[in-house]
Amino acid sequence: MRPRKWPVVGVLLAVLWLFVRGVALDPASILGEFLIGLAFGLPVAFAFRRFYTERTELGRNLRALPYAGVYVALFLKELLTANIDVAYRVLAPSMPLEPGVVVVPLRVETDAAITTIANSITLTPGTLTMDYDEETNALYVHGITGRNREAVVEPIRAWEDYALVIFDEERKPGDPVPEVPGAPRVGERADGGPDVTEGGEADGE
């Protein structure tokens, strides 16, 4: 079944609206904001319908729905965890704040997938998407624990695994991550030094 694509895009924009708005987790708020998203998303999708294919594979989209559901669940889990972590760091001065910028090379390549992941990062307390390098297909992410690169990258990789399926990307979950010249590997600090453990000592010391 190949229905017209613009209504499907309109619904996806309405879902994206929920992320942008940061809706409270109660059915009435979610439904209300979703309807507002539809009111804006459908006209926008119709106006720009010439910029994408006329029809879409509904079967593939339906198969992607469970992956989208898991993506949302993972995002909400990370959102809750990050809120607690940031609040604890504010209330407990002994907790280290080691802000830094992490280069995150991506496997996803479509604009929709990159935008979804970038927004998910920004909406999560403690991290912020600063920039996107089109040439290297990498995001520049600022994190309050940016010196521990693995802590920043780990949830992003989990989201990306599902985004690869949701957006029908060329790469698949489990494919190797392309390297960006000059970017530290996972397990290294963003400043090039050894990773720092919870005890405050560098690995290997």
Side-chain angles (χ1 to χ4, degrees):
M1 186 177 180
R2 291 174 55 85
R4 293 187 180 276
K5 191 169 186 177
W6 70 264
V8 177
V9 174
V11 173
L12 292 176
L13 289 175
V15 174
L16 183 60
W17 174 260
L18 295 179
F19 280 93
V20 174
R21 288 286 293 172
V23 185
L25 299 180
D26 67 87
S29 297
I30 293 174
L31 178 60
E33 292 294 341
F34 181 72
L35 292 176
I36 294 174
L38 282 179
F40 286 98
L42 289 175
V44 169
F46 180 79
F48 290 94
R49 65 191 183 281
R50 295 182 180 180
F51 289 91
Y52 38 80
T53 57
E54 182 179 357
R55 297 189 177 274
T56 185
E57 291 286 348
L58 186 58
R60 197 212 69 80
N61 294 337
L62 291 176
R63 289 193 297 272
L65 277 179
Y67 294 90
V70 176
Y71 184 103
V72 172
L74 286 176
F75 170 76
L76 293 176
K77 177 185 176 183
E78 186 63 28
L79 184 67
L80 177 62
T81 304
N83 270 289
I84 295 174
D85 179 71
V86 170
Y88 187 72
R89 290 176 187 275
V90 171
L91 297 174
S94 60
M95 288 288 290
L97 291 177
E98 297 182 319
V101 177
V102 177
V103 182
V104 184
L106 298 175
R107 291 169 292 171
V108 296
E109 296 179 343
T110 61
D111 291 343
I114 294 170
T115 301
T116 299
I117 292 176
N119 284 342
S120 298
I121 294 169
T122 298
L123 289 171
T124 305
T127 54
L128 172 69
T129 302
M130 298 178 60
D131 197 8
Y132 168 68
D133 188 337
E134 186 174 0
E135 183 177 346
T136 59
N137 191 35
L139 293 174
Y140 287 77
V141 180
H142 182 275
I144 61 173
T145 58
R147 290 182 180 272
N148 182 356
R149 183 175 185 270
E150 186 173 3
V152 175
V153 173
E154 184 178 359
I156 299 174
R157 288 288 171 244
W159 297 336
E160 190 181 32
D161 281 339
Y162 291 95
L164 287 167
V165 179
I166 295 168
F167 296 98
D168 197 22
E169 295 281 335
E170 182 178 346
R171 290 188 175 93
K172 302 303 176 186
D175 284 356
V177 178
E179 293 187 8
V180 175
R185 299 173 181 270
V186 171
E188 295 178 350
R189 293 189 341 196
D191 60 3
D195 193 12
V196 178
T197 64
E198 292 181 0
E201 297 179 352
D203 290 340
E205 294 185 355

